[in-house]
Amino acid sequence: MNEVEEVKARLDIVDVISQYVTLQKAGRSFKAPCPFHSERTPSFIVTPERQSWHCFGACGTGGDVITFVMKKEAIEFSEALKMLAERAGVKLQGRRESSQEQRRRERLLAANEAAGDWFGELLVNDKAGAQAREYLERRQIDSAAAKDFGLGYSPAAWDGLRNHLRGIGFEDEELLRVGLLLQGDSGLHDRFRGRLMFPIRDERGRTAGFGARSLENRDASG
Ligand SMILES: [Zn+2]
């Protein structure tokens, strides 16, 4: 288990989010008016089982406890992790003051982590993820296995991921550098569109990049 996983495992997302939002129990989940957009009818859902949150309203996005704190406090991944590590009583190793280049590298990894969380949320929750869910069902990969493998779904839109990551403080330049965006003829756009996503892990178990599988011609490709 890496540090990020350890911090997440020791915290309950419901406790953390309850500090910011009054959650109401709704079956196996909790709901509240979304803290990220203005609404009267609650469409912000926290699911303890998956330790995730999702706004089914205007935001149409979600993530884990770290992305929640990043978004709510408007801070970077490393700051949010530090804050939550203190709360969880986890001592972060090897995170001494780093050089600018190390910091840049950390941010690129953080962008990948955040992208992976977003893809994972869409695979579970999004209408558009249905095709990917069917694909996995046919291969008898259940949701627990999909979560273990870190599988996700990238929507067919051109700017879904870009908007999400910019919304939590990443710059276009970083997203280009890490390969999540491409420079097209008419501007920047998401590189992965309408794909089943799987993370490529580095030696420390962090997301170094993504593999993607087309869901089209699925009968022909098996
Ligand atoms: Zn929202």
Side-chain angles (χ1 to χ4, degrees), residues 47-67:
T47 310
E49 243 171 40
R50 287 196 300 272
Q51 289 291 299
S52 69
W53 61 273
H54 196 91
C55 169
F56 290 91
C59 305
T61 191
D64 62 9
V65 68
I66 300 175
T67 54

Side-chain angles (χ1 to χ4, degrees), residues 13-26 29-33 35 44-48 53 68:
I13 193 168
V14 175
D15 289 343
V16 174
I17 293 183
S18 292
Q19 285 199 312
Y20 301 90
V21 182
T22 305
L23 293 171
Q24 277 193 315
K25 189 123 179 60
S29 303
F30 292 82
K31 65 180 180 178
F44 177 82
I45 306 290
V46 178
T47 310
W53 61 273
F68 179 86

Side-chain angles (χ1 to χ4, degrees), residues 45-182:
I45 306 290
V46 178
T47 310
E49 243 171 40
R50 287 196 300 272
Q51 289 291 299
S52 69
W53 61 273
H54 196 91
C55 169
F56 290 91
C59 305
T61 191
D64 62 9
V65 68
I66 300 175
T67 54
F68 179 86
V69 170
M70 284 169 74
K71 224 167 137 71
K72 196 74 193 103
E73 301 277 355
I75 55 179
E76 289 183 7
F77 180 87
S78 57
E79 280 180 84
L81 181 64
K82 202 173 144 202
M83 201 171 136
L84 290 169
E86 271 167 29
R87 187 187 166 115
V90 173
K91 201 154 185 289
L92 298 178
Q93 305 290 328
R95 282 181 188 270
R96 289 183 299 273
E97 283 308 302
S98 54
S99 71
Q100 202 177 354
E101 190 45 41
Q102 277 172 321
R103 245 177 79 78
R104 278 170 70 85
R105 204 179 118 72
E106 286 296 324
R107 276 186 61 84
L108 299 186
L109 283 164
N112 274 334
E113 296 283 350
D117 285 343
W118 190 72
F119 293 144
E121 269 298 308
L122 292 178
L123 179 64
V124 174
N125 284 321
D126 200 79
K127 254 184 281 173
Q131 195 189 1
R133 289 193 290 274
E134 284 162 22
Y135 179 96
L136 294 177
E137 260 168 42
R138 280 198 304 278
R139 281 155 186 78
Q140 295 176 318
I141 298 171
D142 64 18
S143 57
K147 191 173 189 300
D148 284 347
F149 297 142
L151 299 184
Y153 172 72
S154 57
W158 293 93
D159 57 2
L161 181 66
R162 183 184 178 201
N163 288 340
H164 171 65
L165 292 179
R166 284 169 59 93
I168 54 175
F170 291 101
E171 308 284 342
D172 281 340
E173 183 269 333
E174 294 173 313
L175 303 180
L176 259 177
R177 190 168 162 204
V178 79
L180 290 170
L181 295 184
L182 290 178

